[in-house]
Structure formats: C-alpha cells, structure tokens
Amino acid sequence: MTSTEPFRPWAALLPVLLVTGVGVLLAWALWSLPPEAAGLSAQVREQLPNSGVRAEVTAVLLNFRGYDTLLETAVLLTALLGVWNLGKSSLPGTDLTPGPVLETLVRFLVPVMILVTGYVLWLGGHASGGAFQAGALLAGAGVLALVIHPEAILLRDHLGLRTLLVLGPLMFSLVAGLVMLTGRLPLEYPPAQAGSLILLIEAANTLSIGLMLTLLFAGGRPPRGRRG
Amino acid sequence: MTPLDWLFDGLLGATLLWLGAQVVFARRLFSTVISFIALGMLMAIAWLRLGAPDVALAEAALGGGVTGALLLAALNRLERTDPDEGEKDDVH
C-alpha cells in the first residue's frame, strides 16, 4: 500500500480476517489429527527387501514414490530455465577480488566437499542421505568455487553443461521407460537390479542438482562458448 | 524426557518463533536473510530432535545453505541495481 492511497480500515482488516481464518482452520486440522498414527510405515518396512536399498526414506523417494522425485528434478530444471530467461548471469561482472585467506580456504574446502558429496550419496543406500542432500553439498562447493573464480568453465553455456544439467532427469526417465520393456509399469524396477538402478539415478541426479543449484546462484544465463 | 530435554526443546522452539518473527519484521533486508539462514540451521536441529535425520539433512543443506546463498546473491543484485533497495524497509 503506498502512502498516496487513502487509509481504508476495511482494506486493512480483510487480510487480518483471512489470515486468522486460515490459521484457525490449520489449528483445527492439526488438532483433529490422531496423536499417534501408524501411517504407511508398516507397508514400507514390509516392502523394503524389494526396494533395492536398506534406507526407508530412500526406498520411498526413489522407488515407491519415484514419480514424485522425478517430477521434483524436473521442477528444479524448470526453475533454472526460468532464471536463465530473466537475464544474463551477473557473476563474471563482479568486481569482487577474494582475499588470500578466502582463496586458500576455498581451495582446501572444495575437494573435501566433493568427497563428502560422494559419501552422502553412497549413504543414501542404507542411512540418511541421498541425491538432494549430496547435490546441495556439491552446490555448496560450486558456489564457493564461483565466488573465488567466477570465470570458471562452469559458467559457460555449452553442450557439455546442458548435458550435465539434464543428465539426472534424463537418466530417471530413461530407467523409468526401459523397465517397461520387461513388461513392468514405469518406474517399477526389477527387485534384483533395483539397488544398482537407484544408485545410477541418484548419482546422475546428484551431479545435475549440484550444477542446477550452483547456476541458480549465478543468477542468470551464463555466456555462450567453451572458454572463459 | 528429562527436564534438561524440556529446557532445550523449549529454548529451541522459542528461538525458532523469534527468528521467524525476525524474518518477517526485520527492518533491513540483510538482517532478514541472515535470520532466515539461522532459522534454517536451528530448524534442522529441531528436525533431528523429532527423529527425522533425513529432513534435518535436507533442511540444513537446502533450507539454510543453498537458499541462504541464493537470497544473499539476490540481495547483492538488488543493491547493485538500486542503491536504496537493499536498505529500504521491507514492511509495507
């Protein structure tokens, strides 16, 4: 509301009423939930041996509800495309010169973060971890690298970069489609190969998610070409 | 649940609420972003206390880390396009 508009009490009251109404509805919904609910955890535990992984959350995300996760990676890719359409990347133009402390720290941190990324990805098979967490770590490494070296090859729009960006969603869709050749439903992995297929999908998605989040940080479409 | 647990969880919940208010009502956009990052980190601890390590990991890495970096980058860009924008009140 700008100051030139006349003050109208009812216009200020309406949002308050709306917010209070939604708040009361939410509180009522929360209150009416059973305090202890079994949910679907019994079913998940029962089907866990067929999922190919030993972690319940990974089994749900990559196998039982794999379709949701596939769409999530597509949402992230769409978000990046949206950002690319808004304008050019601003990072190479920054006049920021990193100090020696920051530069040395980043040089030590980035390899360690890449290593931890691989560990978290591997961890997803039997404990808490997986592609999104590993991808976020990789993006952390990418953001740090961009801060000290904005002219990096990462920030050049070329075929290699685009391939890496779609690798995750593409691998997911490919596996989803290929299992249909054996007479199954899309994303219905054969239990014997499920573990390897999930690792393949998660590895590809870690790379893509890490790169997508890094490029979101760059805040626009990188310049074309291979060399910085 | 020992009294110490109650104390820790109570403090955690109260701090989360306070940080949430800071995110909405802080006068400088920079304070808002920093409060948001702190909120993400403490929220991760809250998820851990609730026995959801997967959500905690995702919240710390994505909610606090990546989103925080994105907001800082956006803020930096805002300040460069309009010198007044970054320091302006975000309460309308």
Side-chain angles (χ1 to χ4, degrees), chain A residues 10-221:
Chain A
W10 54 268
L13 204 63
L14 194 65
V16 174
L17 282 177
L18 272 174
V19 169
T20 315
V22 172
V24 167
L25 271 179
L26 277 177
W28 176 74
L30 198 66
W31 202 255
S32 61
L33 282 176
E36 292 279 337
L40 295 170
S41 41
Q43 266 170 287
V44 169
R45 249 174 242 126
E46 189 186 310
Q47 289 295 323
L48 201 58
N50 295 329
S51 73
V53 287
R54 280 178 286 146
E56 282 105 339
V57 175
T58 311
V60 171
L61 284 180
L62 267 298
N63 198 334
F64 306 148
R65 299 291 312 171
Y67 187 57
D68 296 352
T69 313
L70 171 61
L71 290 185
E72 265 171 43
T73 60
V75 164
L76 209 52
L77 189 62
T78 315
L80 182 67
L81 289 180
V83 168
W84 277 23
N85 278 313
L86 284 177
K88 283 186 179 143
S89 147
S90 60
L91 269 182
T94 49
D95 45 358
L96 185 135
T97 37
V101 176
L102 178 66
E103 194 163 348
T104 313
L105 181 74
V106 171
R107 274 181 209 286
F108 276 113
L109 266 180
V110 167
V112 176
M113 285 175 88
I114 293 175
L115 198 68
V116 178
T117 298
Y119 174 65
V120 171
L121 168 67
W122 179 252
L123 214 57
H126 54 90
S128 300
F132 276 86
Q133 288 91 334
L137 268 168
L138 192 61
V143 166
L144 282 178
L146 277 187
V147 167
I148 66 153
H149 189 43
E151 283 291 335
I153 188 73
L154 264 179
L155 261 187
R156 288 276 151 180
D157 177 16
H158 53 86
L159 194 66
L161 180 99
R162 292 183 176 207
T163 313
L164 272 179
L165 280 175
V166 295
L167 189 69
L170 195 71
M171 189 69 81
F172 216 146
S173 321
L174 213 63
V175 170
L178 282 179
V179 291
M180 290 170 74
L181 292 180
T182 60
R184 293 162 194 276
L185 290 170
L187 286 166
E188 188 191 348
Y189 320 128
Q193 283 87 43
S196 336
L197 287 176
I198 287 175
L199 187 62
L200 186 73
I201 293 170
E202 288 223 288
N205 270 310
T206 300
L207 281 177
S208 293
I209 291 168
L211 201 54
M212 284 179 209
L213 294 174
T214 307
L215 286 168
L216 278 177
F217 178 76
R221 186 172 171 177

Side-chain angles (χ1 to χ4, degrees), chain B residues 35-64:
Chain B
S35 305
F36 183 82
I37 296 172
L39 180 82
M41 292 303 156
L42 286 185
M43 189 67 96
I45 300 178
W47 283 118
L48 265 185
R49 293 286 299 160
L50 287 168
D54 289 88
V55 190
L57 253 178
E59 176 63 42
L62 291 160

